[in-house]
Amino acid sequence: MSIQNNRLAPEAYERNFSDVHPPFDKKEAALVEANRCLFCYDAPCMKSCPTSIDVPKFIKQITTDNLKGSAHTILQSNIFGGGCSRVCPVEKLCEGSCVYNLMHEAPIPIAKLQRYATERAIAEKWQLFERKPSTGKKVAIVGAGPAGLSCAHALSAQGIDVTVFEKEARGGGLMTYGIAAYKVTPRFCQDEVDFITSLGGITIEYNRELGRDMSIPQLQDGFDAVFLGIGVGLARQLGIPGEHLDGVVDAIEFIYNLRSTSYSQVAVGDRVAVIGLGMTAIDAATQAKRLGATEVTIVYRRTQEEMPCTQVELDLAMLDGCRVLWLAAPKEVLGADGNVTGLVCSEMELGAADSSGRRSPVETSRTFALDVDMVIKAAGQMPFQSLVDAAGLENKGGRIVQANGATSVARVFAGGDCVNGGREVVDAVQAGKDGAAAILDYLRATEITSPDTAMEPSAFNNLAPALPDLS
Amino acid sequence: MADISANFLGIKSPNPFWLASAPPTDKKINVLRAFEAGWGGVVWKTLGSQVKNVSSRYSAVNYNGSRIMGFNNIELISDRPLDINLREIEECIRLFPDRAMIVSLMADNTRESWHELIAKVEDTGAHGFELNFGCPHGMTERGMGAAVGQDPEIARMVVEWVMEKATIPVITKLTPNVHSVVPTGKAAVEAGTNALSLINTIQSVTGVDLDTFVPNPYVAGKSVFGGYCGPAVKPIALKFLATISQDPTTRQVPISGIGGISTWKDAVEFMLLGATTLQVCTAAMKHGFRIVEDMCEGLNNWMDEKGFATINDFIGLSVPTLTHWEDLDINYHHVAHINQDKCIHCGLCYIGCEDTSHQAINLSYGKPYNTYSIKEEECVGCNLCQLICPVEQCITMVEQRKGDEYLNWKDFQRLGLALNDH
Ligand SMILES: Cc1cc2nc3c(=O)[nH]c(=O)nc-3n(C[C@H](O)[C@H](O)[C@H](O)COP(=O)(O)OP(=O)(O)OC[C@H]3O[C@@H](n4cnc5c(N)ncnc54)[C@H](O)[C@@H]3O)c2cc1C
Ligand SMILES: Cc1cc2nc3c(=O)[nH]c(=O)nc-3n(C[C@H](O)[C@H](O)[C@H](O)COP(=O)(O)O)c2cc1C
Ligand code: SF4
Ligand code: SF4
């Protein structure tokens, strides 16, 4: 029993990490589904999309051979429409509200059609958007994830010059570093980022970290406004004995490695316990299994009724052969010679319902032990509390508090996971759009109130060279 | 089990489904396959002076992913040697004596040519003739086909020539490329034709290629008007058929219905409006001959359900219900009703009525599902919404008469009743 890499043959890795939701093979196949769409008015699917993509319209455009128009319809509402078509939990969004469900018929495969419509646009870099002439206004964005880049695209389209500071070497945020490898490839993530920046007016400075290489006051000095799309950090600590042992790993780190090196280099245990049952837990469990772990057990302290992941995701883990232990909470990690050898869990039972109606799990006196050599922590992610505190941003447990996109600090806006604590890509994209709208409103307002200070482009141009000194 | 056999001018067939004169009937190999598949009869591909075809020959209109809603061709009459056609016709009759064998003719425009052709074809033992007065392309330029069918006097003359010579029943096939088929139909009946068939194809341009800018079908950078048929033309065919069934002269002879028939239901509609036999071309070209199986079974089941023992029990049954607009009952009124249990909240009824009809549907916002209900006082009973609604029986029209008595437009005007005020 040990934690090892290189467990499988190259073909096995290839197979295990290939597309879970393969695209349409052929135009005809896409048309069969597109033609099923009823073209609903004030469509439920559109209302269920956080970015309000006009779904009936883009599907109709597939049927009229207007693929360019279709891609435009999608991407104008959601510039990550290509990525979202691969990663969105559509069963609880657009497809979940498709009227066909009410007829007990299969819903329109909206995500698959969306992928069909956007795939060529991104691969061939169709120029679907035109940037307005530069206004000379400058905005700094921190984080090149979905929130940051969606904000960047919306601002640049309006003629704002955008500089994005990103601590990693590549863009896309968790799209590139977090989401399961069988949903998006690194190549696709790169193409998507390139597609977004091909609009012009967006410069991404990689390996530049807020808090290390620059501070918020410095950004405020150099730019008219700042947008924070920094996401959230590592997985929550378990706070139980044995957490320091070799073999207890953070799900985010585990997946980060998997996304940034080759699969064969990622080590995984024989018998793995995964703590939690959100999107991250499912991804950690399935990918541990796909890397060659013999047994993967998901430990969740509530019941299936309360699970945060969708049934589709749970099914994915189950089909991969992962096991779920319901009403079990980790109590202690056992070890020998500094390595994990087991996980002791408490049996839980559901107590009284809280104010939200959700019944909380209560510990019983019964415990049991799992024979495992690796424990993956995936019980929620932690916001960047110290960074946010240091910047003087009003926050709730590290989650930045904002109203209409604006934070408590002047000219600083925020959105995405760093505000909502961790939701989906599509929510972050909408937050980026909302942030951009708030920034544009703010810039327009300042233009009217103090025309002489705000609008002279040359004044801002002079500030740019100041940035290299920031570190 | 109902009896679905047909007796058309003494020509018997085990079912009323015949293949129309077209490629499916242009040689022995096809016709034998059709008879094996169960078709009741065929109208052999039109014979006349041998011609030469071009390629491509066909084009189509697709609709929402369904292929060949309408079909178009620029083919001519048979391009095979006459003697081979005649030999093959004879063989088919010998191999399947219980099926109807009608031969379509289009001779050159002289009495002698018609007489000569008729004599040769009668020698095969064929059961009847169909005169092709309908082909809208290629032959008209030579003064044949639709050029004959569009002029009642020429049609009368040709039918007279034919009747002088023919000893077997003669069906005259009408062209729809006229404002009314009745004048030519009447002329043909007066000249002695034993029956009528309709419709032949409708002149059309099915589309223009957006890359080459050439309409289709494409022939070396050019195109010509073609003949349109298939499901798209059925409503037009039914209308022409009904006018023939209404006219006191033309209704005296049996009718073979043609135009967009693809299923037993289409066939029954043609029969209810006066057709005794049904001819099919496009549906067979799209699906092959096997479609006749369901046509026979469906017709049979429907007749059993309705208690009709033979097809003669219902042929023409719907004709008297077609009346004049002025005779419609203005006091008849109905309003739409939405069954909320069936509604799937697609909003299609709403947007149709709101944008293009009478703003008679109320939208009550919901996320993600809106609720829709009818404002009965605004509803004019047009039934647009019912036609749009994707769920069967979800929108029904509920009768709400404006008055008990029958009131037509003439009475309405005579009584000086009030017109709409908004
Ligand atoms: C394992 C996992 C699986 C997931 N699967 C899905 C899924 O299948 N579908 C789905 O819709 N969502 C999924 N999510 C959620 C989704 O990835 C996030 O909601 C989304 O990426 C949030 O976007 P964001 O831009 O707010 O943050 P992020 O994507 O986290 O982007 C933040 C960016 O800011 C950078 N950054 C952070 N701090 C600094 C700093 N101090 N200075 C400079 N740059 C900084 C980061 O490097 C990163 O690039 C998943 C999340 C995880 C963790
Ligand atoms: C390719 C093609 C060739 C045709 N050739 C003839 C013909 O030679 N003689 C004729 O009377 N009608 C001809 N027709 C017309 C058909 O017999 C029939 O009247 C018409 O197609 C309408 O029927 P449908 O809708 O079932 O196809 C032809 C139709 C097609 C599609
Ligand atoms: S019947 Fe016509 S007027 Fe009445 S609700 Fe339907 S669409 Fe509107
Ligand atoms: S068209 Fe039918 S299903 Fe759709 S909203 Fe109207 S009543 Fe409901």
Side-chain angles (χ1 to χ4, degrees), chain A residues 413-460:
Chain A
F413 299 76
D417 277 5
C418 64
V419 168
N420 65 34
R423 291 233 283 263
E424 321 295 348
V425 170
V426 66
D427 299 296
V429 173
Q430 184 57 33
K433 280 163 63 186
D434 292 343
I439 291 171
L440 289 169
D441 279 351
Y442 161 76
L443 292 178
R444 274 185 213 114
T446 52
E447 203 172 322
I448 295 160
T449 50
S450 52
D452 37 5
T453 52
M455 263 324 272
E456 183 49 27
S458 58
F460 293 105

Side-chain angles (χ1 to χ4, degrees), chain B residues 20-21 23 45-46 58 73 132 173 199-200 229-230 258-260 281-282:
Chain B
S21 173
K45 173 76 182 170
T46 307
Y58 306 147
N73 84 91
N132 181 349
K173 182 170 180 177
I199 58 172
N200 209 310
C229 51
I258 320 167
C281 170
T282 304

Side-chain angles (χ1 to χ4, degrees), chain A residues 263-275:
Chain A
Y263 301 124
S264 61
Q265 284 177 37
V266 185
V268 69
D270 278 333
R271 318 177 76 158
V272 179
V274 176
I275 318 291

Side-chain angles (χ1 to χ4, degrees), chain A residues 20-238:
Chain A
V20 260
H21 304 300
F24 284 114
D25 243 7
K26 295 200 165 60
K27 177 179 168 187
E28 289 72 22
L31 285 179
V32 168
E33 291 298 341
N35 277 310
R36 278 179 69 223
C37 175
L38 295 174
F39 200 51
C40 292
Y41 173 73
D42 198 21
C45 50
M46 180 173 173
K47 285 184 189 165
S48 304
C49 171
T51 58
S52 308
I53 293 176
D54 191 339
V55 176
K57 180 175 173 187
F58 95 70
I59 293 180
K60 186 86 172 168
Q61 288 175 306
I62 293 177
T63 70
T64 70
D65 269 338
N66 183 4
L67 211 58
K68 208 166 255 177
S70 182
H72 182 261
T73 300
I74 295 162
L75 297 166
Q76 75 171 353
S77 288
N78 180 342
I79 196 65
F80 276 86
C84 277
S85 72
R86 291 159 166 83
V87 310
C88 274
V90 287
E91 60 277 11
K92 65 176 182 191
L93 301 171
C94 52
E95 289 181 22
S97 64
C98 174
V99 299
Y100 273 107
N101 293 303
L102 303 176
M103 291 201 256
H104 306 286
E105 289 293 324
I108 302 295
I110 297 171
K112 206 168 170 181
L113 288 167
Q114 184 170 317
R115 175 163 175 180
Y116 177 77
T118 51
E119 201 137 51
R120 275 184 58 204
I122 294 172
E124 297 171 17
K125 286 216 184 78
W126 290 348
Q127 282 306 317
L128 299 173
F129 302 95
E130 206 178 326
R131 181 173 193 248
K132 288 196 181 148
S134 175
T135 58
K137 296 275 186 189
K138 293 179 176 303
V139 172
I141 291 178
V142 187
L149 290 184
S150 140
C151 183
H153 191 268
L155 287 175
S156 179
Q158 297 304 317
I160 308 294
D161 297 331
V162 178
T163 306
V164 184
F165 299 97
E166 167 56 53
K167 72 174 161 67
E168 298 291 338
R170 282 184 284 156
L174 285 177
M175 195 78 153
T176 301
Y177 292 105
I179 282 165
Y182 46 73
K183 291 186 184 166
V184 278
T185 60
R187 172 65 206 270
F188 173 78
C189 293
Q190 186 61 52
D191 285 352
E192 185 160 56
V193 171
D194 291 346
F195 177 78
I196 294 169
T197 54
S198 71
L199 174 69
I202 304 172
T203 312
I204 307 184
E205 298 199 4
Y206 290 110
N207 305 309
R208 303 266 277 149
E209 182 173 345
L210 176 67
R212 187 190 69 189
D213 303 323
M214 75 206 84
S215 67
I216 286 185
Q218 283 171 310
L219 292 176
Q220 283 172 308
D221 281 351
F223 296 87
D224 296 292
V226 179
F227 178 83
L228 300 177
I230 55 176
V232 283
L234 296 181
R236 209 171 290 289
Q237 293 290 101
L238 300 174

